[in-house]
Amino acid sequence: MELSARQKKIVEIVKENGPITGENIADFLNLTRATLRPDLAILTMAGFLEARPRVGYFYTGKTGAELLTEKIKKIKVHEYVSIPIVVNESVSVYDAITTMFLEDVGTLFVVDGEGLLTGILSRKDLLRASIGQQKLSAIPVHIIMTRMPNIAVCRREDPLFEVAKLLIDRQIDGVPVVRDKEPGLEVVGRITKTTITKAFVELVTDSDQHL
Ligand code: ADP
């Protein structure tokens, strides 16, 4: 978020004179308190200043970059989670390919009869199986999938940033969002590279709206 010249001036005034009332900041700038109200609201909302009732405004001491980092680290998986597309481990590679096209996703999660996570199928897993000579409708996906316990997962309360790191570290496109369901993990959502891109775009769009 880019601060206006007046907002930068306000930050400087509060830095040097805080705690200071809105009235006194207005005096410094030869403006009315009402004129300053939107600027003070923005600076408080963005975390540059803190307002304490009957005391005034404090400078929080945080730079724009620090505030952005804080904001990013606060985003949780559940704020961006999308619907998971799952297939049973007994379905054929042919049916999995069809599901991938119909559902327009790049990763399918594989579950057993109890609905517990057993594997994951990426586009390349299905491509690899397709370049052999086998009949795709005769091969069950559990033969070719990446299987538990080697699956990277996340949970609803995890920071989205940690999932982004996981995608980079493991060189994968997505992870299932899971919750414990004895004796395994139930798939409750999906986070992919697209999710991260969306969050990235919204961060910028949201902060523009506050200007
Ligand atoms: P693609 O290979 O189609 O580009 P990915 O990069 O997501 O897609 O997948 C690479 C490999 O990693 C595949 O074999 C896939 O089964 C596996 N994989 C995908 N997601 C995960 C995950 N969350 N945990 C473990 N392995 C995964």
Side-chain angles (χ1 to χ4, degrees), residues 18-19 26 38 73-74 98 116 133 139 149 152 169 175 181 186 206:
K73 286 188 173 165
K74 268 193 211 144
T98 310
L116 299 178
Q133 300 300 317
I139 313 166
D169 292 346
V175 292
K181 185 180 168 203
E186 182 186 18
D206 284 356

Side-chain angles (χ1 to χ4, degrees), residues 120 122-125 146 150-152 170-176:
I120 198 157
S122 78
R123 283 178 274 229
K124 265 184 249 151
D125 293 331
T146 300
N150 298 323
I151 298 181
R170 301 277 299 256
Q171 299 188 329
I172 48 178
D173 290 348
V175 292

Side-chain angles (χ1 to χ4, degrees), residues 7-207:
Q7 287 163 357
K8 282 182 189 156
K9 236 185 240 165
I10 295 173
V11 171
E12 285 311 310
I13 292 169
V14 177
K15 218 188 250 185
E16 281 171 26
N17 305 283
I20 177 170
T21 62
E23 208 66 57
N24 289 342
I25 300 171
D27 289 345
F28 265 98
L29 294 168
N30 282 327
L31 294 167
T32 65
R33 168 88 176 86
T35 316
L36 282 193
R37 195 162 289 138
D39 289 320
L40 289 171
I42 286 165
L43 291 170
T44 313
M45 204 156 52
F48 289 98
L49 304 183
E50 209 174 295
R52 301 232 180 103
R54 284 184 296 279
V55 181
Y57 292 90
F58 287 87
Y59 175 59
T60 57
K62 288 172 186 158
T63 63
E66 283 167 340
L67 291 166
L68 182 63
T69 305
E70 257 180 26
K71 197 169 166 191
I72 290 171
K73 286 188 173 165
K74 268 193 211 144
I75 305 173
K76 295 285 173 46
V77 161
H78 67 79
E79 296 172 57
Y80 283 91
V81 64
S82 9
I83 295 168
I85 307 301
V86 300
V87 293
N88 188 278
E89 55 190 5
S90 62
V91 305
S92 68
V93 171
Y94 182 93
D95 285 340
I97 293 173
T98 310
T99 305
M100 200 173 261
F101 274 100
L102 286 177
E103 301 288 350
D104 196 17
V105 289
T107 309
L108 297 173
F109 306 127
V110 185
V111 296
D112 64 14
E114 314 294 300
L116 299 178
L117 178 67
T118 58
I120 198 157
L121 290 165
S122 78
R123 283 178 274 229
K124 265 184 249 151
D125 293 331
L126 296 173
L127 266 180
R128 198 180 300 117
S130 307
I131 53 176
Q133 300 300 317
Q134 305 103 317
K135 199 166 180 324
L136 297 182
S137 53
I139 313 166
V141 288
H142 69 81
I143 307 280
I144 65 149
M145 70 190 189
T146 300
R147 53 184 57 252
M148 284 290 269
N150 298 323
I151 298 181
V153 299
C154 70
R155 289 160 196 275
R156 284 176 58 82
E157 290 309 316
D158 289 344
L160 192 61
F161 174 70
E162 294 299 331
V163 183
K165 274 205 298 202
L166 192 61
L167 297 183
I168 298 292
D169 292 346
R170 301 277 299 256
Q171 299 188 329
I172 48 178
D173 290 348
V175 292
V177 183
V178 298
R179 73 166 158 240
D180 292 306
K181 185 180 168 203
E182 282 304 316
L185 299 172
E186 182 186 18
V187 181
V188 295
R190 167 171 66 103
I191 295 286
T192 66
K193 284 182 177 170
T194 307
T195 320
I196 310 294
T197 311
K198 203 165 146 195
F200 179 74
V201 170
E202 278 187 21
L203 263 177
V204 178
T205 320
D206 284 356
S207 81

